[in-house]
Amino acid sequence: MARCLLTGATGQDSFYLAEYLLSLGHKVCGLVRGYNNPREEELRLAMPELEIVYGDLSDQISLLKAIELTQPNEVYNLAAVSAVPISWDQTEMMTDVNALGPARLLRAIIQVGGERNNPIRFFQASSSEMLACTGETQNELTPICPRTPYSCAKAYAHFLVNNYRERYDLHASCGILCSHESKRRTPNFVTKKIAQAAARIKTGTQQNLSLGNLDSGRDWGAATDFVRAYHLILQQPKPGDYVIGTGETHTLRDILDIAFSYVGLDWTKYVTLDPKLFRPWQDKIVKADWSKLRAIGWAPTVTFEGLIQGMVNTSG
Ligand code: NAP
């Protein structure tokens, strides 16, 4: 039985990873920030076996205490300010949490576990947003070329994990994550925004939906599939970096087709285009080459259609 510490316990990925790790019989501790987090209650009800510890990626001592208290074998850093657009307005805060946060966590792991033969394995959630769009696919060899403050911070943390791996021989790995969704996604992400709109327009509680470039495409996977990969990566004899995706790309039009046809509506009657929502760098469609991950036994199980329909089902 492993002892696992998950940061970002109230977020999408930690929820599914905690469920998965508990189902494997592991002890799971979730780091929650603040003493009055409105999502903590839901977490406690959903997973009574989950042990909650408090801490903040902006606070070194709290991370040190969390690691000393939980004595984990595996630490999954899934906490972040994950909404990319905010990073333009709150760059300093975003950098503090997403870049310096992992630095603080790594320092705490070395302090507790030692500079050599450290028994704590570490997983960092890096992002495919930091990769260059040079070819049709992105893999672990794709150059890192961030274009937002969010991806700059993720790139810093990614390089730092690689440095700790080398310097301390730490079992520290990164998942380079393409977008992944679930019913727990918040509506500031476009997949959820569309799923929710389809469900609400059907029931008459919403009238229309504003979107940006409908032809912008991504490699979208299911969070429930991705979290299995995080665990698998930490079970490997050697640490490394792995792109996690599906190898398929879909556009916003595809999501609209699936979500609105699922509730029997024609989206063209409800969707308006808002130039403010266009992101200039999203003209290039890329997809993941996840063959390195396939080689260690992972594969996605949820279809894109099933994913979007599931999100519509649980929205409203
Ligand atoms: P999420 O749902 O937005 O969850 C983020 C979590 O981080 C929340 O629990 C949040 O807590 C916590 N958090 C924020 N600031 C914090 C701080 N200062 N100290 C401690 N915790 C803090 O994100 P997700 O979708 O699960 O993503 C997991 C990881 O994968 C993130 O690092 C994200 O950047 C990365 N990623 C995600 C995707 C994707 O498509 N989902 C793609 C690429 C990379 P509160 O409840 O208090 O806000």
Side-chain angles (χ1 to χ4, degrees):
M1 184 175 89
R3 288 184 306 280
C4 310
L5 174 63
L6 281 50
T7 68
T10 51
Q12 169 187 265
D13 285 12
S14 275
F15 186 91
Y16 292 113
L17 182 60
E19 267 191 343
Y20 180 60
L21 294 171
L22 287 168
S23 78
L24 297 178
H26 299 314
K27 180 172 167 51
V28 185
C29 306
L31 187 91
V32 169
R33 70 168 163 161
Y35 285 95
N36 207 8
N37 194 313
R39 296 156 94 189
E40 181 183 330
E41 175 72 5
E42 187 202 351
L43 198 58
R44 284 188 186 279
L45 287 174
M47 277 179 273
E49 320 90 288
L50 180 78
E51 188 182 312
I52 291 191
V53 289
Y54 298 100
D56 196 301
L57 284 194
S58 300
D59 187 288
Q60 176 76 69
I61 300 294
S62 71
L63 300 177
L64 191 57
K65 276 176 74 176
I67 290 175
E68 279 171 347
L69 190 72
T70 57
Q71 293 290 317
N73 318 105
E74 297 178 2
V75 174
Y76 296 86
N77 182 32
L78 304 176
V81 180
S82 63
V84 179
I86 260 195
S87 70
W88 293 106
D89 295 329
Q90 300 182 28
T91 305
E92 190 179 341
M93 178 277 292
M94 165 82 68
T95 307
D96 186 59
V97 176
N98 292 6
L100 296 183
R104 295 182 185 107
L105 206 44
L106 284 163
R107 238 4 280 160
I109 287 171
I110 296 298
Q111 190 151 338
V112 175
E115 292 198 356
R116 288 287 143 208
N117 302 318
N118 192 311
I120 307 173
R121 295 186 171 199
F122 180 74
F123 177 86
Q124 165 67 12
S126 295
S127 169
S128 64
E129 290 254 350
M130 64 187 192
L131 301 181
C133 300
T134 45
E136 279 191 8
T137 58
Q138 294 173 320
N139 65 20
E140 297 78 13
L141 301 177
T142 302
I144 291 183
C145 178
R147 279 156 295 163
T148 61
Y150 169 84
S151 44
C152 286
K154 285 289 182 185
Y156 172 86
H158 184 81
F159 284 129
L160 198 70
V161 172
N162 276 261
N163 279 239
Y164 269 65
R165 189 189 300 158
E166 258 182 52
R167 169 81 165 81
Y168 297 109
D169 205 17
L170 187 68
H171 196 297
S173 296
C174 298
I176 304 172
L177 317 180
C178 292
S179 297
H180 49 284
E181 315 295 312
S182 73
K183 64 180 183 187
R184 303 191 70 80
R185 242 337 188 185
T186 47
N188 52 323
F189 290 90
V190 72
T191 41
K192 178 72 173 192
K193 185 176 171 184
I194 294 174
Q196 194 172 64
R200 288 183 175 176
I201 291 171
K202 179 69 180 174
T203 54
T205 52
Q206 184 173 332
Q207 274 63 53
N208 48 44
L209 169 66
S210 294
L211 290 172
N213 181 4
L214 300 188
D215 296 313
S216 84
R218 278 176 177 245
D219 183 323
W220 271 293
T224 47
D225 280 337
F226 274 46
V227 299
R228 285 187 295 104
Y230 309 165
H231 175 252
L232 183 63
I233 289 167
L234 284 205
Q235 309 320 304
Q236 299 311 301
K238 286 189 182 337
D241 300 328
Y242 293 83
V243 164
I244 311 179
T246 67
E248 289 178 22
T249 45
H250 296 276
T251 63
L252 294 195
R253 281 181 202 281
D254 297 334
I255 303 178
L256 286 163
D257 282 341
I258 295 169
F260 279 73
S261 68
Y262 189 56
V263 294
L265 296 176
D266 172 4
W267 62 264
T268 59
K269 295 185 179 150
Y270 306 98
V271 172
T272 54
L273 297 186
D274 180 351
K276 288 200 294 294
L277 299 175
F278 277 59
R279 285 209 221 162
W281 64 91
Q282 274 189 345
D283 51 354
K284 191 119 185 172
I285 299 184
V286 285
K287 57 188 171 188
D289 163 11
W290 50 277
S291 38
K292 186 175 173 191
L293 195 54
R294 183 192 290 117
I296 62 167
W298 181 84
T301 62
V302 180
T303 63
F304 184 68
E305 192 175 36
L307 175 66
I308 301 301
Q309 289 178 345
M311 290 175 76
V312 176
N313 259 339
T314 49
S315 299

